[in-house]
Amino acid sequence: MAFSYCLVDRVSSRSSTLEFNSGRPRDSMTAALFCNSRYSTFYYVALNRISVGGRPLALSPSVFAVDDSDQGGIIVDSGTAVTRLKSKAYNALRDKFVRLTWNLPSVWGYSIFDTCYDLSSFKSVDVPTVGFRFTSQKTLTLQVKNYLIPVDSNGKVCLVFAPTNGPLFIFCFN
């Protein structure tokens, strides 16, 4: 039996769906799931690289892998709103994003987010894309609303990634 679920946008009035034995849409993407004996309640995905602005970050794929002591790796958690990356990966993503948004007015962080902008005087902005490449060799390019979110009603938006020194990455894209 196969199943999949589709989470609608967090501000949508539509309902999310859970599908059983349905056909796969042509534009869908798959990523193999695997287990880790140390954290047996999680499923992991194999990630090869992260790109910002269409260009891969200078990170070895080993940064994303489970190591010999069963630490590391990436789990998908649809119940969290923040993607947590190991500090090395987070710093590379944030630094590249900041370099590519030099023209946007940066402001103090908010809560756990350290990369924020005041977009109150803009009608629209262009920001760099963020993509995740899995072992399937396909890149999942996130929608802007999945990585740059408003944190107040005055035009302040923040990059919704955070560093972690914990034993694994937590990947979210809802």
Side-chain angles (χ1 to χ4, degrees), residues 5-53:
Y5 61 93
C6 178
L7 299 175
V8 297
D9 185 276
R10 65 184 168 276
V11 294
S12 176
S13 61
R14 296 180 310 152
S15 296
S16 297
T17 60
L18 176 63
E19 298 182 16
F20 297 94
N21 293 331
S22 61
R24 192 165 57 169
R26 275 186 275 141
D27 64 344
S28 69
M29 202 173 131
T30 61
L33 297 175
F34 63 95
C35 296
N36 176 339
S37 60
R38 179 171 240 177
Y39 301 101
S40 60
T41 58
F42 298 124
Y43 284 103
Y44 289 72
V45 293
L47 183 69
N48 284 347
R49 77 170 62 136
I50 297 174
S51 60
V52 176

Side-chain angles (χ1 to χ4, degrees), residues 45-91:
V45 293
L47 183 69
N48 284 347
R49 77 170 62 136
I50 297 174
S51 60
V52 176
R55 304 194 61 124
L57 300 177
L59 295 168
S60 167
S62 65
V63 169
F64 310 112
V66 175
D67 65 21
D68 293 336
S69 64
D70 289 331
Q71 296 290 322
I74 299 164
I75 64 166
V76 176
D77 182 354
S78 61
T80 186
V82 179
T83 295
R84 300 264 186 175
L85 302 173
K86 291 279 187 131
S87 294
K88 182 176 184 175
Y90 171 75
N91 292 339

Side-chain angles (χ1 to χ4, degrees), residues 68-168:
D68 293 336
S69 64
D70 289 331
Q71 296 290 322
I74 299 164
I75 64 166
V76 176
D77 182 354
S78 61
T80 186
V82 179
T83 295
R84 300 264 186 175
L85 302 173
K86 291 279 187 131
S87 294
K88 182 176 184 175
Y90 171 75
N91 292 339
L93 182 147
R94 179 204 55 213
D95 294 350
K96 179 72 164 224
F97 194 88
V98 167
R99 278 195 302 277
L100 295 174
T101 55
W102 60 269
N103 58 324
L104 299 177
S106 62
V107 294
W108 289 104
Y110 178 84
S111 184
I112 61 170
F113 308 126
D114 63 4
T115 305
C116 301
Y117 303 91
D118 176 5
L119 302 183
S120 61
S121 64
F122 292 84
K123 290 187 187 214
S124 68
V125 295
D126 288 323
V127 295
T129 58
V130 174
F132 293 89
R133 185 171 181 149
F134 297 93
T135 55
S136 64
Q137 301 304 309
K138 290 186 177 181
T139 299
L140 172 66
T141 302
L142 301 179
Q143 295 179 39
V144 174
K145 65 185 174 186
N146 294 124
Y147 61 90
L148 199 63
I149 66 163
V151 294
D152 68 19
S153 59
N154 299 318
K156 184 175 189 175
V157 299
C158 295
L159 188 63
V160 195
F161 291 92
T164 183
N165 291 319
L168 45 83

